[in-house]
Amino acid sequence: MYAIIDLETTGGQPTQDRITEIAIFIHDGEKVVDQYDTLLNPGRPIPFFITQLTGITDDMVRDAPKFHEVARKVVEMTEGCVFVAHNVRFDYSFLKKEFADLGYNYSRKTLCTVRLSRSLMPGQPSYSLGKLCQNIGIPLNGRHRAAGDAGATAILFDRLLKISQQDEALRNPTVSPADTLAAVDALAPGGKKPTKQPSSRKVEAVREAIRTALLPPNITPEKVASLPQEAGVYYFHNEAGEVIYVGKSINIYKRIQQHFAVDYKSRKSLEFKNSISDITWELTGSELVALLYESHEIKRLKPLYNRAQRRSVFPAGIFLRTDDNGYKHLYYGRADDHAQSHPLIALGNQYKAKAFLFHKVSKFNLCQKLCDLYKTPGSCFDYQVHRCKGACLGLEPAEEYNKRVEEAVESFTYEHGSFVVVGRGRSEDEKTLVVVENGRYLGFGYVDGTFSARRFADFKDAVKRYNDNKDVQQIIRQYLRTKHKDKVKVFK
């Protein structure tokens, strides 16, 4: 059974708008066997532009039932049915939100007649309901009213099923229309597998429409199927071709499938999904290179829907010096105010650098005074409360104190100063190189599988230079702590 549904609403966002009208047509695979429609009181004013579009006014819905009064009817009518609509995600997300507000999890298999029409009736100039019905001769009385649009969608759905039946009859005369529909019905929750299994291309299109109902409107199943199952960076583009999101994965196909398998509910996430019009990618071979290149691209492009790693300037940092008595001092300051080439770690601002240093002082039991966090000619405050061992007064030997400083530094720097990470490339005869010199990330590159070098300078010459920053330092440190299969060449 199929529940063909159309809603009219106060706007386009399920999280803030409400339903003003609902229509349900129950189709048994051959004909409409039941229907229901009603206006609904949304509990809020209907915007003027919505009234202009639908003709539904505040006066019309004032005495109409509220959604909770018809919720039981909706559940009972659609129980065991595939939820069918023209642009199904819109109607389905609104109903799910209305039920969620009542504390009920409404869940149905979904099928989009927009996608099904594209598969079974290719080449149409438009697949909007109004224009499609006009082009193929379906009467549409009451456009932008729930019963009118649902009724036209029911006729369209009926035609799509008949196309499937006719095609199967030509390809396999021994298979009846009932068997053809049974193959589709088996996809519904609790559906029984038919005794005959037609292999019609058209029936498969119906299957695919159900499976891919959660894809963005402008992303076809063919586009998803073309995605590589390899490591790399991928880009989501809007209709203007602009990059709105950058991601990375060791398997681009699986990661993007995960993106689209989520039934987004918030306004921002729905906007994000609806705005995806194209997908491009760049293979990296190496997981580490994918991580580093994603970070670089986010900072370069600053995509609208990437929140993390957009910062490209890190003006503050943590530094290290040794005083005349042999004590090592960690301290924070502006990165561009120091004669040193670079800080141990770069941070977004002085406030973050100070907070970072306080955290390390607490974790490794360091002296606040020797970390320039407590300005005093005598002992630091922590010594007075017995948390400092007296390095600020020279009571703790420098050798013992410095061991804890070194442990703190190791927690946010690399184990080795200069090294190269050699990983898999984009093909069997290629390798990737990631180069770090004196604790500073230089960049990555690709070399022939036969590449062999002993001098560190040769590795440096083989990579493309990229900016060093807090994010890439953290990426490399964390990656090296995982069970990776890359080779790490250390240079003194």
Side-chain angles (χ1 to χ4, degrees):
M1 303 294 288
Y2 304 90
I4 300 165
I5 297 177
D6 189 81
L7 307 176
E8 301 303 328
T9 66
T10 60
Q13 303 301 330
T15 53
Q16 63 187 41
D17 293 307
R18 303 297 297 273
I19 300 172
T20 59
E21 190 174 34
I22 182 171
I24 305 173
F25 285 64
I26 302 300
H27 197 292
D28 67 357
E30 295 183 357
K31 61 184 182 301
V32 172
V33 295
D34 194 7
Q35 72 179 78
Y36 169 76
D37 66 89
T38 181
L39 288 166
L40 293 174
N41 186 335
R44 66 190 61 184
I46 300 174
F48 177 68
F49 75 93
I50 294 293
T51 296
Q52 284 187 310
L53 179 67
T54 65
I56 301 174
T57 66
D58 290 329
D59 289 338
M60 291 170 62
V61 301
R62 183 168 290 113
D63 297 324
K66 294 191 174 181
F67 182 80
H68 70 86
E69 298 176 70
V70 304
R72 182 182 181 89
K73 176 76 170 178
V74 174
V75 171
E76 291 175 346
M77 285 194 72
T78 63
E79 186 69 36
C81 295
V82 176
F83 188 113
V84 181
H86 207 72
N87 190 11
V88 70
R89 289 184 309 104
F90 177 88
D91 303 272
Y92 187 61
S93 60
F94 264 93
L95 271 187
K96 281 187 71 71
K97 179 61 168 62
E98 290 282 5
F99 278 110
D101 290 344
L102 299 176
Y104 179 80
N105 179 27
Y106 183 79
S107 179
R108 301 287 186 270
K109 286 282 188 179
T110 59
L111 188 151
C112 182
T113 51
V114 175
R115 292 190 174 279
L116 194 56
S117 298
R118 290 182 186 274
S119 296
L120 299 180
M121 296 189 297
Q124 294 295 324
S126 172
Y127 289 90
S128 68
L129 185 62
K131 292 182 180 178
L132 182 60
C133 288
Q134 181 181 359
N135 290 336
I136 64 176
I138 293 177
L140 208 176
N141 300 317
R143 180 75 174 112
H144 295 302
R145 291 297 300 270
D149 287 351
T153 304
I155 297 172
L156 171 63
F157 181 66
D158 191 64
R159 288 198 185 181
L160 294 170
L161 288 182
K162 284 181 170 59
I163 291 173
S164 176
Q165 295 166 16
Q166 292 165 2
D167 181 76
E168 184 58 33
L170 290 173
R171 292 165 57 88
N172 188 354
T174 65
V175 177
S176 70
D179 290 326
T180 304
L181 290 174
V184 180
D185 289 337
L187 296 172
K192 252 173 143 182
K193 286 191 177 181
T195 55
K196 296 180 181 179
Q197 298 286 340
S199 57
S200 168
R201 176 175 57 87
K202 303 300 185 181
V203 172
E204 183 57 34
V206 178
R207 289 175 183 267
E208 191 64 21
I210 294 174
R211 284 198 298 264
T212 62
L214 292 177
L215 293 181
N218 295 319
I219 299 298
T220 65
E222 291 76 18
K223 183 67 176 180
V224 175
S226 71
L227 297 171
Q229 298 193 42
E230 300 176 51
V233 172
Y234 57 89
Y235 306 81
F236 290 157
H237 302 258
N238 61 16
E239 287 186 341
E242 300 167 333
V243 175
I244 58 174
Y245 183 83
V246 177
K248 53 80 185 56
S249 178
I250 58 173
N251 187 317
I252 292 175
Y253 171 80
K254 286 185 178 180
R255 181 67 187 96
I256 292 179
Q257 286 276 49
Q258 291 170 355
H259 270 293
F260 297 157
V262 176
D263 187 11
Y264 292 108
K265 296 179 178 64
S266 72
R267 176 180 178 180
K268 194 170 185 67
S269 60
L270 282 172
E271 287 177 352
F272 167 55
K273 193 168 186 178
N274 288 337
S275 61
I276 300 171
S277 292
D278 194 14
I279 308 169
T280 59
W281 60 86
E282 286 194 39
L283 300 182
T284 61
S286 160
E287 179 184 3
L288 176 57
V289 170
L291 291 163
L292 294 170
Y293 193 54
E294 177 206 32
S295 178
H296 168 77
E297 289 292 80
I298 290 172
K299 288 173 170 51
R300 181 177 71 88
L301 298 170
K302 292 182 170 53
L304 178 62
Y305 292 100
N306 284 99
R307 293 184 179 180
Q309 299 196 55
R310 290 180 59 159
R311 175 182 290 276
S312 56
V313 178
F314 297 84
I318 305 298
F319 299 85
L320 179 67
R321 63 181 173 84
T322 303
D323 65 20
D324 294 338
N325 296 318
Y327 288 94
K328 291 186 175 181
H329 293 238
L330 283 175
Y331 63 101
Y332 72 95
R334 288 189 57 85
D336 52 5
D337 283 350
H338 289 73
Q340 293 155 295
S341 59
H342 60 88
L344 295 174
I345 184 171
L347 296 159
N349 53 51
Q350 297 264 42
Y351 175 80
K352 289 182 178 180
K354 185 176 182 179
F356 179 91
L357 196 52
F358 264 117
H359 172 71
K360 296 302 177 184
V361 166
S362 174
K363 183 175 181 179
F364 293 95
N365 196 21
L366 303 182
C367 175
Q368 288 185 348
K369 179 180 178 181
L370 297 191
C371 291
D372 289 357
L373 296 174
Y374 193 81
K375 309 291 185 182
T376 176
S379 65
C380 70
F381 176 77
D382 278 359
Y383 178 75
Q384 300 170 37
V385 295
H386 308 293
R387 285 199 296 260
C388 172
K389 296 184 178 182
C392 47
L393 297 176
L395 299 178
E396 180 183 19
E399 294 78 10
E400 293 183 15
Y401 178 77
N402 290 346
K403 286 180 182 179
R404 297 199 303 280
V405 174
E406 291 166 1
E407 289 176 2
V409 171
E410 286 178 4
S411 72
F412 60 87
T413 57
Y414 306 115
E415 180 182 356
H416 307 291
S418 297
F419 58 92
V420 178
V421 182
V422 183
R424 61 178 297 183
R426 296 161 295 187
S427 61
E428 291 185 1
D429 58 351
E430 186 179 67
K431 294 187 290 190
T432 57
L433 304 177
V434 175
V435 177
V436 173
E437 181 179 32
N438 295 325
R440 187 168 191 172
Y441 168 65
L442 297 186
F444 69 84
Y446 300 93
V447 294
D448 185 88
T450 61
F451 176 84
S452 179
R454 293 185 178 180
R455 298 188 312 140
F456 187 66
D458 294 332
F459 288 100
K460 290 170 57 177
D461 292 341
V463 301
K464 181 178 178 180
R465 298 302 176 98
Y466 289 92
N467 291 334
D468 180 40
N469 55 62
K470 167 182 168 287
D471 292 327
V472 297
Q473 291 171 14
Q474 184 174 355
I475 287 169
I476 297 172
R477 286 198 310 273
Q478 290 181 346
Y479 181 80
L480 293 178
R481 290 168 184 164
T482 65
K483 293 182 179 179
H484 62 87
K485 296 182 180 179
D486 297 346
K487 294 181 180 179
V488 179
K489 295 179 177 291
V490 180
F491 294 84
K492 295 183 178 180

